[in-house]
Amino acid sequence: MRMSGPLLKVENLTKHYPIGAGFLKKTTPVVRAVEDVSFSVEAGETLCIVGESGCGKSTVARLLMRLVDPTGGRVMIDGTDIAGLKKHELRAYRRLMQMVFQDPYSSLNPRLTAGQIITEPVENYERLSRKQREALAADLLHKVGMSPEMMHRLPSELSGGQRQRLGIARALALKPSIIIADEAVSALDVSVQAQILNLLMDLQQQLRIAFVFISHDLAVVEHLGHRVAVMYLGRIVELATCEALFAKPVHPYTEALIAAAPVPDPTGVRFEAPVAGEVPSPINPPSGCTFHPRCPLAVERCRIEVPPLVPMTDGRVVACHVRAPASGMQAQSAAARDCPTARLARANEPIRASEKPNIS
Amino acid sequence: MQMHKTIRHDVLLDVRSLETHFYGEESVTRALGGISFQIMKGETVGVVGESGCGKSVTALSILRLLPKLTARTVGGEVRFHGQDLLKLSEQEMRKIRGGKIAMIFQDPMTSLNPVYTVGHQIAEAVQIHTGVSRSSALTKAEEMLRFVRIADPERRVSNYPYEMSGGMRQRVMIAMALACSPEVLIADEPTTALDVTIQAQILRLIVDLKERTGTAVMFITHDLGVVAETCQRVIVMYAGRIIEQASVMDLFARPMHPYTQALMRSVPDRRRGRQSRLPEIPGIVPNLRDPIIGCSFAPRCPFAIDICREKTPVLREIESGHTAACWRSEEIVCA
């Protein structure tokens, strides 16, 4: 299959859930779960989506799989917009994208054997003889590091880590080009988490699978991601390569998120919580930049205007009036046109102490 | 420094050879295999380990909150102010629970009563344990909400749990736990269900309140990062036993049990480089229904030798204040 452009391209994806929908009510309030989200994923790449509960990251996963229909925007796989496809047309594209879920307990049918669970996706598309099915199950189990004898076991006879391996084997069954993993390691103990993360990285290398890896755990994201999108209240606030984002977060929310993650090193303990307040309700999100009520840098403009995603000189995009002003960027590139070092210096310009969020 | 020393010797809670079994239809699970530790006045002790290692069972055994039909503490002592909590009558135990020893749980939604206001629930705890009047208990409830830094406490006292966010509910739980000025606070994964920015706030709050009230905290968590940020001393558990105990600085600087070492290495860490393979711990946790011969970690341990498979290692002091249950700690700490 020849591909032009990225494997997956998401444009202006939006999902509003109506709440308390009444048929006589003229206007229904909506939950703005996902608001104008755009990104792309190349073959063999891992794009991570991070954010706290309610930021819309799982809704994005559902929209990518078209388990829910978007309110607006496009999801292009190999150049085809799956948002507009009819059910039977969608079937062909579903093969290309598979999903791994968070909970390895509730996402496996307790009455099917491991072998049945992992071969079921293929049997949705083609008939398999008993022999073929067993060969396929053995092959898939081998791929995820389990012995073929396990195919006769029930999920209840397996450990949490083995179950998650089954979930991954099931996702691999249709040889997808992209796997969406929604908090796939969050429910696992750290020693098992390490096994599963290694497995995912190995599979990516061997099979060139692209991952959309949704997680709240920044250490995990930093470890296996190539690029990261940070979401807050339904919007992407920063999208950058992993190295750049963790080396120097630009959006104040990214900065707070990184500072908030506990670090297993007692010598570097902080004493202040990096950000006050809580995530507001997506039913009635704050005006302007939705982060402004919690943001230590907020200025008047942040209360009024939604900041656009502005491309920075290092290739990342950031939605922040203060750190990535739309007009400021143009001025900067004009000033730095004939001096590449000046451009770099400007991009990494230190933030004045008085402007810094409360991170000590 | 002098003060630090005197605090050190003031044992508040003394757990000795605590042994708890769970009874299934045909089998007995030895959830706690005889653990001993102490909590000093005013200190924060972290209890870490992976699921099933017995950290929550330890807390429930101390407070005698185990499910009555399926579990029993079959041996050991929990000494608190000169008496053994395991020998108290249920009535006496009730006075201690929520009074001198309080507990907060992982999920603040299920541990609050949905049909009463949070003010009512805090006041109820205060009334039971201090016997003050209803109105002064309610005043105390409001005061406690302010203490845990809930904005607008006058209004919030009459809120129901569902009207609050997860972070705020956990603040309410902390307010309720601290309302009767407990000497020990047992916190079982209090921030696991919360988002990271909220977790950071709650951790700060617990550390800060602990310093102001002098309450000792037993902090149960699976997260080594949380331990590093909040605790002074750490107990590492594996398969129902304590396998290592040290000050937080010593433990992270020089872990002496192979399990602790492996656990620390398996956490993704920016200092080790991205996309690298994470060191795994091979195999799985032993089934506590089967009798364990030798060291319970031996089947997964890269350092295991014959003695490890034959004789169970006991906790012994390897360095001052640093104990480990491993036959080969001296060798592997240098490795």
Side-chain angles (χ1 to χ4, degrees):
Chain A
M1 207 188 304
R2 270 283 304 139
M3 282 179 302
S4 53
L7 177 63
L8 171 74
K9 195 164 168 41
V10 174
E11 289 175 350
N12 311 103
L13 195 61
T14 299
K15 178 68 189 174
H16 293 173
Y17 286 104
I19 41 166
F23 130 111
L24 290 174
K25 284 188 209 154
K26 287 222 176 75
T27 52
T28 41
V30 292
V31 176
R32 295 166 184 279
V34 173
E35 198 65 91
D36 199 12
V37 162
S38 305
F39 58 82
S40 61
V41 183
E42 307 285 341
E45 181 195 33
T46 300
L47 175 84
C48 297
I49 303 180
V50 294
E52 298 178 283
S53 30
C55 75
K57 52 193 195 304
S58 291
T59 307
V60 168
R62 281 151 193 265
L63 289 166
L64 295 183
M65 296 294 294
R66 220 183 125 193
L67 297 173
V68 290
D69 290 328
T71 308
R74 304 202 291 174
V75 176
M76 319 268 284
I77 302 176
D78 266 351
T80 309
D81 180 13
I82 62 159
L85 293 181
K86 297 209 175 65
K87 241 188 179 158
H88 64 275
E89 296 168 320
L90 193 60
R91 254 174 85 80
Y93 285 91
R94 281 255 166 86
R95 292 192 77 141
L96 299 177
M97 293 175 115
Q98 291 291 306
M99 196 154 172
V100 178
F101 299 91
Q102 169 169 6
D103 183 357
Y105 292 82
S106 61
S107 58
L108 303 177
N109 187 334
R111 287 160 194 258
L112 298 184
T113 64
Q116 287 170 318
I117 287 170
I118 58 180
T119 54
E120 197 185 19
V122 178
E123 290 190 277
N124 279 333
Y125 289 88
E126 56 206 79
R127 275 193 71 81
L128 297 176
S129 69
R130 196 165 151 248
K131 237 185 176 165
Q132 284 174 312
R133 197 186 309 131
E134 281 189 0
L136 176 66
D139 176 49
L140 289 169
L141 286 172
H142 176 73
K143 277 203 178 97
V144 296
M146 286 167 79
S147 81
E149 295 96 73
M150 295 284 190
M151 74 171 78
H152 305 294
R153 300 264 186 101
L154 290 169
S156 58
E157 297 169 302
L158 301 172
S159 71
Q162 287 173 324
R163 288 177 202 219
Q164 200 56 303
R165 283 173 198 266
L166 274 194
I168 294 168
R170 175 175 63 184
L172 291 174
L174 285 165
K175 303 193 173 69
S177 25
I178 186 158
I179 287 181
I180 295 157
D182 188 1
E183 299 278 9
V185 297
S186 311
L188 305 173
D189 274 321
V190 282
S191 66
V192 182
Q193 176 179 292
Q195 297 171 3
I196 300 296
L197 291 176
N198 285 340
L199 174 65
L200 290 175
M201 289 188 290
D202 291 347
L203 289 171
Q204 182 165 55
Q205 283 208 327
Q206 291 158 16
L207 308 168
R208 263 183 74 72
I209 297 176
F211 287 115
V212 175
F213 191 90
I214 294 167
S215 179
H216 70 279
D217 188 332
L218 290 159
V220 168
V221 165
E222 183 176 14
H223 191 80
L224 99 170
H226 296 113
R227 286 186 304 136
V228 200
V230 182
M231 286 187 74
Y232 187 75
L233 272 181
R235 289 177 189 273
I236 291 182
V237 296
E238 182 162 1
L239 199 161
T241 63
C242 255
E243 285 97 334
L245 190 104
F246 286 97
K248 189 181 181 299
V250 172
H251 196 284
Y253 177 64
T254 315
E255 198 168 47
L257 208 55
I258 292 175
V263 180
D265 178 8
T267 55
V269 172
R270 313 170 310 255
F271 295 97
E272 283 301 318
V275 57
E278 300 185 354
V279 182
S281 155
I283 298 168
N284 198 0
S287 62
C289 172
T290 49
F291 188 57
H292 86 255
R294 302 174 78 191
C295 183
L297 308 182
V299 294
E300 197 48 40
R301 193 176 173 197
C302 307
R303 290 177 193 80
I304 303 157
E305 260 177 76
V306 178
L309 276 169
V310 175
M312 308 286 284
T313 40
D314 63 356
R316 76 173 92 196
V317 290
V318 181
C320 176
H321 288 310
V322 179
R323 293 268 176 88
S327 49
M329 264 312 283
Q330 283 147 16
Q332 177 189 323
S333 49
R337 195 169 296 142
D338 41 17
C339 178
T341 47
R343 191 187 308 149
L344 259 178
R346 283 296 287 269
N348 295 326
E349 187 175 278
I351 299 109
R352 268 181 287 134
S354 59
E355 283 181 343
K356 270 214 164 129
N358 208 0
I359 306 163
S360 32
Chain B
M1 218 54 225
Q2 195 53 44
M3 203 177 111
H4 193 66
K5 245 181 191 160
T6 51
I7 287 171
R8 221 153 218 254
H9 295 285
D10 223 341
V11 178
L12 190 58
L13 193 70
D14 188 2
V15 176
R16 297 179 189 172
S17 315
L18 192 63
E19 210 176 335
T20 296
H21 291 178
F22 278 77
Y23 300 91
E25 270 172 28
E26 282 163 8
S27 59
V28 178
T29 303
R30 291 166 186 84
L32 282 188
I35 64 164
S36 304
F37 63 93
Q38 296 175 331
I39 293 178
M40 314 296 161
K41 238 179 196 160
E43 88 174 328
T44 305
V45 180
V47 180
V48 283
E50 298 183 285
S51 12
C53 73
K55 41 190 203 304
S56 293
V57 176
T58 304
L60 297 176
S61 301
I62 290 171
L63 284 174
R64 290 173 45 190
L65 287 170
L66 294 162
K68 290 222 160 44
L69 292 173
T70 53
R72 198 178 316 139
T73 297
V74 294
E77 286 175 44
V78 179
R79 303 208 65 89
F80 181 66
H81 285 296
Q83 50 187 353
D84 182 2
L85 296 186
L86 301 181
K87 291 210 174 72
L88 295 184
S89 70
E90 185 51 36
Q91 213 177 1
E92 289 170 311
M93 193 60 210
R94 250 185 234 165
K95 277 190 206 140
I96 290 189
R97 221 185 273 138
K100 289 213 167 77
I101 306 179
M103 184 158 178
I104 49 180
F105 299 89
Q106 172 170 350
D107 183 355
M109 193 63 212
T110 51
S111 29
L112 285 169
N113 190 330
V115 300
Y116 290 109
T117 63
V118 296
H120 176 103
Q121 294 182 58
I122 300 172
E124 187 187 16
V126 175
Q127 267 188 300
I128 288 171
H129 290 285
T130 59
V132 296
S133 72
R134 178 90 196 133
S135 64
S136 55
L138 277 168
T139 317
K140 177 79 180 176
E142 201 179 301
E143 203 180 288
M144 287 313 294
L145 290 185
R146 190 170 293 117
F147 191 56
V148 296
R149 293 182 216 131
I150 286 183
D152 209 359
E154 304 80 9
R155 195 170 56 84
R156 287 294 184 180
V157 278
S158 44
N159 272 181
Y160 288 90
Y162 76 88
E163 295 175 288
M164 298 184 142
S165 66
M168 228 186 294
R169 279 184 222 134
Q170 200 57 288
R171 284 174 196 265
V172 169
M173 285 305 298
I174 295 170
M176 197 185 299
L178 296 181
C180 303
S181 319
E183 291 173 51
V184 186
L185 174 67
I186 300 179
D188 189 358
E189 303 268 9
T191 59
T192 307
L194 305 175
D195 278 320
V196 275
T197 60
I198 309 300
Q199 165 168 288
Q201 294 170 7
I202 298 291
L203 292 180
R204 286 311 135 240
L205 182 73
I206 292 175
V207 169
D208 187 36
L209 296 186
K210 193 224 97 179
E211 260 151 37
R212 283 165 61 184
T213 57
T215 306
V217 183
M218 178 174 155
F219 203 110
I220 298 171
T221 178
H222 69 282
D223 189 329
L224 289 167
V226 170
V227 167
E229 296 203 350
T230 51
C231 300
Q232 287 143 6
R233 210 152 54 80
V234 192
I235 291 169
V236 185
M237 291 187 71
Y238 183 76
R241 285 172 189 277
I242 293 175
I243 54 114
E244 187 162 1
Q245 227 187 117
S247 74
V248 71
M249 291 295 175
D250 288 348
L251 188 89
F252 281 86
R254 283 160 71 77
M256 290 185 175
H257 195 285
Y259 174 68
T260 316
Q261 293 181 346
L263 198 62
M264 286 180 178
R265 274 198 296 262
S266 63
V267 182
D269 185 336
R270 61 173 57 183
R271 290 164 293 190
R272 257 197 330 259
R274 306 181 337 93
Q275 298 277 330
S276 60
R277 280 188 71 82
L278 293 163
E280 299 173 7
I281 305 179
I284 54 167
V285 178
N287 190 335
L288 296 176
R289 279 183 294 240
D290 307 327
I292 291 167
I293 300 154
C295 172
S296 55
F297 189 61
R300 308 173 74 184
C301 180
F303 303 103
I305 49 173
D306 286 346
I307 188 173
C308 304
R309 293 177 203 103
E310 287 152 16
K311 282 177 76 179
T312 307
V314 288
L315 266 181
R316 59 200 175 91
E317 194 159 48
I318 315 285
E319 278 172 9
S320 165
H322 195 150
T323 56
C326 174
W327 293 115
R328 304 186 67 195
S329 277
E330 287 87 350
E331 300 160 62
I332 64 157
V333 75
C334 307

